[in-house]
Amino acid sequence: MALAPQPTQQGGARAARSPTVPPGDQKRLLIDLLLTGLIASAIFGPIVGMSATAPQGGLVLQYRWGTVFWLVAAVVIGRLLLHLFVWNRPDWVKPIHVKRLGAGLVAIGTLALLLGLFVFDAPWFDAVGIFGLIAGAWFYISSSNETAAERGAPSPLAHAIEPLGKYLGIALLLIAIALPFIPGVDRRIVDLAILMLTYVMLGWGLNIVVGLAGLLDLGYVAFYAVGAYAYALLSTIYFPLWFGDGITPWAFWLVLPLAGLLAACWGLILGFPVLRLRGDYLAIVTLAFGEIIRIILINWYDFTGGPNGISDIPRPSFFGIPFTNDENGFAATFGLAYSPLQRIIFLYYVILVLALITNFVTLRLRKLPIGRAWEALREDEIACRSLGINTTNTKLTAFAIGAMFGGFAGSFFATRQGFVSPESFVFMESAIILAIVVLGGLGSQIGVVVAAIAVIGAFELFRELDFLKAIMPEGFDPTQYRMLAVGIAMVLIMRWRPRGLVTKRDPSIYLKEKKAVSADLVAQGHG
Amino acid sequence: MANTWQADPVLSVEHITMRFGGLVAIDDLSFNVGRNDITALIGPNGAGKTTVFNCLTGFYKPTEGMIVMRHEDGKNFILERMDDFRISQFAKVARTFQNIRLFAGMTVLENLVVAQHNTLMKASGYTVAGILGSRAYKRAEKEAVDKATYWLEKIHLIDRADDPAGDLPYGAQRRLEIARAMCTEPKLLCLDEPAAGLNPRESDDLNKLLLSIREDQGIGILLIEHDMKVVMEISDHVVVLDYGQKIADGTPAEVKIDPAVIRAYLGVDEEEAPPIAEKLITEAIARAENEPPAQQGGR
């Protein structure tokens, strides 16, 4: 428990690589600890120490100074331990000891976590497991960084992660294909996987605009909304009106391309005014564009249903065969026992195929002149124009193709939920998608997958943190803290890996040998 | 005898003027560039040389005047009416930059393939056929790589084809930028201070490269240069600018004894100028040949 809050200190700890306190200087050590305590109190005081509740009518502030005290104490003791044993290590403690300690903690943490999850159902075990895991990983990484630095080699973490990328992609694909049939996988997990794949697809779509073409787009959710509303409106109102009710089972497959086209058109509409904008200005206009779409959806009541949204959106059919429990249904047709899970699994495979199409097209595009022009545009727009590349068209195609995939994903979202409302398309969604792209490493496809799993997984994890409830005071709700945790995680990752998880650029063509390009050389685009 | 650049110009600059607010950067400038000549555009710092380049390549639109690109087949292009990328695409004018603008995060080969964008774009059926994996595109891509290989061999960078362009040493980056411009198959190559920052050996290699480009490709080269050794050795035609105006225009031999040029460069009186200038220029050339590289930073 004493180690628990230390991960929040990692940023500071790494910044102070050469410790400010020389060994044996008690006075400066005391001042350092005092400062640490002050900072910790300033952070935990308002966030943890006060909670506003409204039992009856008015707001009442409740104080939890006890908790704050324990947290601050843990931070201070943790820093003291760091000073004594990590930064000003006595001679008998070698980096290898720290490394072993880290490995040991990871092992114990994993064991405790597994025991807590599957054997004892004891939240305390989970808590110890997770904290052990985090602290151990940190010890391990920091000490091996140190040993590597002594040898003058690059960080072993980077070393360890990057060659895995090749196999990681194949492994993830195989797991993804087999997932619904792995024993023990229930509806909840498939639902979560669908959600993750939706974000993977959105991330891949946005990656074209942000990662390849280097155009910062803060309003990507607008295209997601266009796709979702296109399907919702066409399938509930216009298709039955134009073609009669018989079309409904086919609606999803007919609207899907239309939704992509519509979203691509909106991509062009956004693209034109922002052609000359760069950096901050581009970000602001795209942000505004996202909000405009949402506000139109709220206020154009006659067309979009306003804040009420659109409900009863037709669920997808198995190419015309509905997933119903009758003789025309999917189960009866294929001679299976009816189960509501069949529809979920079908949805899962639909989004998997859509996402893979996105990936395939993006990978192909990267090897085509248009993809190379996007990357060249990110590197140097003026040089592009001097080589006869039409930068207007290049930017517009990036916006349009990125938007198109957003539209596909939106269409899928609408059919999965059966209900859309403007609530689903707030700026936060754009921010999450962008966070996934940035976290994954700009321009990297596999990075987006890992980042989407991590971000969405972390979000969902916070719903299930029973163990935190057990160790925290009464009334503690972990879900309220998830944005805080995501924020902290973002800061840490930007501190450690500012270019995202994958920091190598894969060349699109090679003569003799494929060598990855280090991210230090790759431009991040004009905004 | 009429000069080559008057008999058969690939480019005619006619009375262009470029004003930025009250500042007149180019003032009623006219000159011709011969079809297969190496033409040097020289002048003291701030004379407006790079502005001329920016007008030629469409990055600026001249306030007045006309710039005509004449192809051998009789097609004429009025450059000041064309978008910058169309100038490269159709009028076939390529350029390099004073501060190198390579795609640093892309490999050397990728840089050269990107330069063949328009050819490849057509071959990929404007992306549609390319996505479907058309064989014609694969063939076109292979041709593009062959052309890139040709240029890489010519600039001695074939061994570094798969390295990022940003990792190359400075001189190699300069050569790569020239090769990249050549991959657009220009009829006029405009080089903005190609020898800046090169040591005497590199600068000799550059001269050879430029001469061989002119020989093999049969194109015109227009270069801005401060390095008098390069200018005097390889150029057929020199145009001298000062304060946005043309003060001399002729062969290198004519220009280096031109009193106006000497005044612009040295600030001495016209009567005593020619002998001093000739002496100074000869000395400068001799120095450049013997001395370690004189690092010329950008302006």
Side-chain angles (χ1 to χ4, degrees):
Chain A
M1 184 59 207
L3 290 171
Q6 273 181 15
T8 59
Q9 290 265 312
Q10 285 169 10
R14 292 269 302 184
R17 194 166 294 162
S18 56
T20 47
V21 181
D25 191 342
Q26 312 296 342
K27 199 172 130 202
R28 284 183 64 183
L29 182 65
L30 210 63
I31 291 172
D32 183 71
L33 290 181
L34 209 64
L35 273 177
T36 311
L38 272 178
I39 294 170
S41 339
I43 292 173
F44 289 124
I47 295 176
V48 181
M50 301 175 203
S51 93
T53 50
Q56 279 144 8
L59 271 178
V60 179
L61 263 187
Q62 284 183 340
Y63 300 100
R64 298 185 294 206
W65 297 126
T67 321
V68 175
F69 174 78
W70 286 115
L71 285 171
V72 172
V75 169
V76 172
I77 292 170
R79 190 157 173 101
L80 180 66
L81 290 176
L82 281 175
H83 271 302
L84 292 182
F85 296 108
V86 180
W87 293 328
N88 289 327
R89 227 187 356 255
D91 287 336
W92 52 270
V93 182
K94 297 257 157 39
I96 191 73
H97 293 142
V98 183
K99 199 171 173 175
R100 279 185 198 145
L101 174 70
L105 278 176
V106 169
I108 293 171
T110 317
L111 191 70
L113 189 63
L114 290 176
L115 281 177
L117 279 178
F118 293 112
V119 184
F120 295 122
D121 196 25
W124 266 101
F125 270 90
D126 295 351
V128 171
I130 287 191
F131 290 137
L133 216 66
I134 294 172
W138 178 47
F139 273 132
Y140 190 83
I141 291 166
S142 65
S143 69
S144 32
N145 274 347
E146 201 173 336
T147 40
E150 281 165 13
R151 291 198 309 270
S155 149
L157 184 68
H159 246 323
I161 288 177
E162 262 136 30
L164 286 180
K166 227 188 290 174
Y167 308 103
L168 189 64
I170 299 166
L172 283 176
L173 180 63
L174 290 179
I175 292 174
I177 290 172
L179 184 85
F181 302 107
I182 295 173
V185 170
D186 56 7
R187 181 180 171 152
R188 210 180 44 135
I189 294 179
V190 179
D191 264 335
L192 181 60
I194 291 177
L195 190 68
M196 282 176 177
L197 278 173
T198 315
Y199 278 94
V200 167
M201 179 164 176
L202 287 169
W204 275 340
L206 185 61
N207 204 10
I208 293 175
V209 185
V210 179
L212 292 183
L215 304 160
L216 183 55
D217 185 351
L218 290 180
Y220 191 65
V221 80
F223 308 124
Y224 192 41
V226 168
Y229 269 83
Y231 177 63
L233 288 169
L234 285 173
S235 65
T236 54
I237 301 172
Y238 294 98
F239 269 32
L241 200 66
W242 295 336
F243 308 111
D245 281 338
I247 200 87
T248 304
W250 288 96
F252 178 70
W253 300 105
L254 293 173
V255 175
L256 191 67
L258 283 180
L261 273 181
L262 274 171
C265 287
W266 280 99
L268 291 181
I269 291 170
L270 166 68
F272 270 111
V274 304
L275 276 174
R276 290 177 182 281
L277 301 181
R278 287 180 177 187
D280 309 350
Y281 307 101
L282 177 66
I284 291 167
V285 174
T286 52
L287 175 72
F289 181 77
E291 289 300 289
I292 288 170
I293 297 269
R294 189 173 65 86
I295 286 168
I296 288 176
L297 291 180
I298 291 178
N299 288 289
W300 195 358
Y301 193 87
D302 303 335
F303 185 60
T304 64
N308 300 338
I310 300 169
S311 49
D312 295 327
I313 299 171
R315 297 314 188 107
S317 60
F318 186 80
F319 306 101
I321 305 166
F323 287 92
T324 47
N325 190 11
D326 55 37
E327 62 222 45
N328 295 325
F330 173 80
T333 314
F334 289 92
L336 301 165
Y338 174 76
S339 147
L341 196 57
Q342 282 158 357
R343 190 169 56 82
I344 307 290
I345 292 177
F346 178 66
L347 278 173
Y348 173 79
Y349 280 113
V350 169
I351 187 68
L352 182 63
V353 168
L354 284 176
L356 287 177
I357 290 174
T358 311
N359 186 32
F360 173 78
V361 170
T362 312
L363 289 179
R364 263 280 159 88
L365 285 174
R366 269 202 73 203
K367 297 193 188 304
L368 287 173
I370 186 72
R372 294 203 188 101
W374 287 338
E375 293 200 78
L377 189 70
R378 177 190 66 199
E379 297 287 323
D380 194 327
E381 185 175 342
I382 288 177
C384 274
R385 284 192 278 157
S386 84
L387 296 173
I389 295 173
N390 184 340
T391 48
T392 307
N393 287 356
T394 308
K395 281 185 188 177
L396 288 179
T397 44
F399 273 118
I401 293 179
M404 183 179 76
F405 290 122
F408 289 151
S411 207
F412 174 81
F413 173 80
T415 193
R416 179 173 95 105
Q417 300 282 321
F419 170 73
V420 291
S421 80
E423 290 270 292
S424 311
F425 307 108
V426 289
F427 170 67
M428 202 52 225
E429 291 293 312
S430 288
I432 290 172
I433 303 165
L434 187 67
I436 287 172
V437 173
V438 173
L439 198 59
L442 294 176
S444 155
Q445 296 290 96
I446 189 77
V448 167
V449 180
V450 176
I453 292 173
V455 170
I456 306 304
F459 266 121
E460 293 307 307
L461 198 66
F462 263 85
R463 293 189 206 283
E464 324 249 329
L465 290 181
D466 292 332
F467 66 87
L468 270 181
K469 280 187 194 155
I471 57 172
M472 294 301 265
E474 201 60 28
F476 175 79
D477 180 7
T479 46
Q480 292 180 347
Y481 289 81
R482 61 182 196 167
M483 291 317 289
L484 179 71
V486 167
I488 291 172
M490 285 299 275
V491 171
L492 292 182
I493 285 161
M494 288 301 108
R495 172 69 189 76
W496 268 340
R497 291 182 86 76
R499 296 301 294 263
L501 296 171
V502 178
T503 53
K504 292 274 165 75
R505 178 184 166 272
D506 229 9
S508 63
I509 192 169
Y510 59 97
L511 200 61
K512 293 189 195 89
E513 178 194 2
K514 198 168 192 166
K515 295 180 199 163
V517 179
S518 147
D520 307 335
L521 292 168
V522 180
Q524 290 178 324
H526 304 299
Chain B
M1 186 195 91
N3 292 310
T4 45
W5 56 90
Q6 265 134 18
D8 183 17
V10 67
L11 179 86
S12 310
V13 175
E14 289 165 24
H15 302 287
I16 62 163
T17 298
M18 181 82 215
R19 292 194 196 94
F20 297 103
L23 175 82
V24 185
I26 309 172
D27 188 6
D28 194 25
L29 173 72
S30 305
F31 67 91
N32 283 341
V33 175
R35 186 166 304 286
N36 197 13
D37 283 351
I38 294 181
T39 308
L41 189 61
I42 64 170
N45 285 341
K49 304 180 295 289
T50 301
T51 311
V52 172
F53 261 41
N54 284 337
C55 287
L56 294 184
T57 47
F59 287 93
Y60 297 156
K61 299 287 166 217
T63 328
E64 290 164 23
M66 185 161 84
I67 307 167
V68 188
M69 180 79 190
R70 303 170 202 278
H71 286 187
E72 281 152 319
D73 55 12
K75 268 191 222 153
N76 287 354
F77 297 87
I78 299 177
L79 298 190
E80 83 272 10
R81 295 195 193 152
M82 296 172 75
D83 284 332
D84 43 17
F85 67 89
R86 291 213 167 81
I87 289 180
S88 166
Q89 190 178 354
F90 300 114
K92 298 287 177 196
V93 180
R95 74 169 293 181
T96 66
F97 295 87
Q98 197 175 345
N99 43 348
I100 303 174
R101 285 183 177 275
L102 287 171
F103 306 123
M106 302 173 85
T107 65
V108 170
L109 181 67
E110 278 180 308
N111 268 274
L112 297 185
V113 174
V114 167
Q116 303 173 50
H117 177 81
N118 289 313
T119 326
L120 286 174
M121 201 67 182
K122 235 175 258 158
S124 73
Y126 296 92
T127 308
V128 180
I131 285 194
L132 301 173
S134 109
R135 214 168 277 166
Y137 171 67
K138 283 191 185 123
R139 223 175 304 130
E141 195 180 44
K142 199 178 162 298
E143 276 164 26
V145 172
D146 287 344
K147 193 200 250 177
T149 315
Y150 167 81
W151 282 106
L152 286 174
E153 272 162 3
K154 200 148 176 155
I155 62 171
H156 313 298
L157 281 178
I158 190 74
D159 294 333
R160 305 211 56 181
D162 297 320
D163 289 337
D167 266 354
L168 297 180
Y170 188 80
Q173 293 197 4
R174 283 248 173 246
R175 277 179 286 151
L176 178 59
E177 209 189 12
I178 295 172
R180 188 181 68 178
M182 285 311 297
C183 278
T184 65
E185 301 206 322
K187 298 202 186 292
L188 176 66
L189 176 65
C190 301
L191 307 173
D192 198 342
E193 298 199 19
L198 301 186
N199 64 33
R201 217 191 63 216
E202 287 175 321
S203 143
D204 266 345
D205 288 347
L206 177 76
N207 285 356
K208 277 181 211 138
L209 176 67
L210 294 185
L211 287 170
S212 85
I213 286 176
R214 179 185 58 171
E215 214 57 41
D216 301 347
Q217 319 293 322
I219 64 167
I221 297 177
L222 175 64
L223 56 101
I224 293 177
E225 195 44 79
H226 280 298
D227 188 337
M228 281 305 145
K229 182 167 171 287
V230 175
V231 173
M232 294 301 157
E233 268 182 16
I234 64 168
S235 52
D236 309 293
H237 174 198
V238 180
V239 177
V240 191
L241 290 191
D242 194 21
Y243 295 109
Q245 288 174 322
K246 185 167 83 172
I247 56 171
D249 186 347
T251 60
E254 285 164 10
V255 163
K256 79 175 162 186
I257 53 165
D258 191 307
V261 178
I262 293 142
R263 197 173 52 236
Y265 270 89
L266 306 173
V268 288
D269 282 340
E270 255 173 73
E271 296 80 47
E272 49 185 306
I276 298 179
E278 212 163 350
K279 188 164 151 263
L280 282 172
I281 290 173
T282 324
E283 272 175 18
I285 291 172
R287 245 200 332 273
E289 275 166 351
N290 302 326
E291 255 182 27
Q295 291 290 333
Q296 291 187 355
R299 269 180 285 166

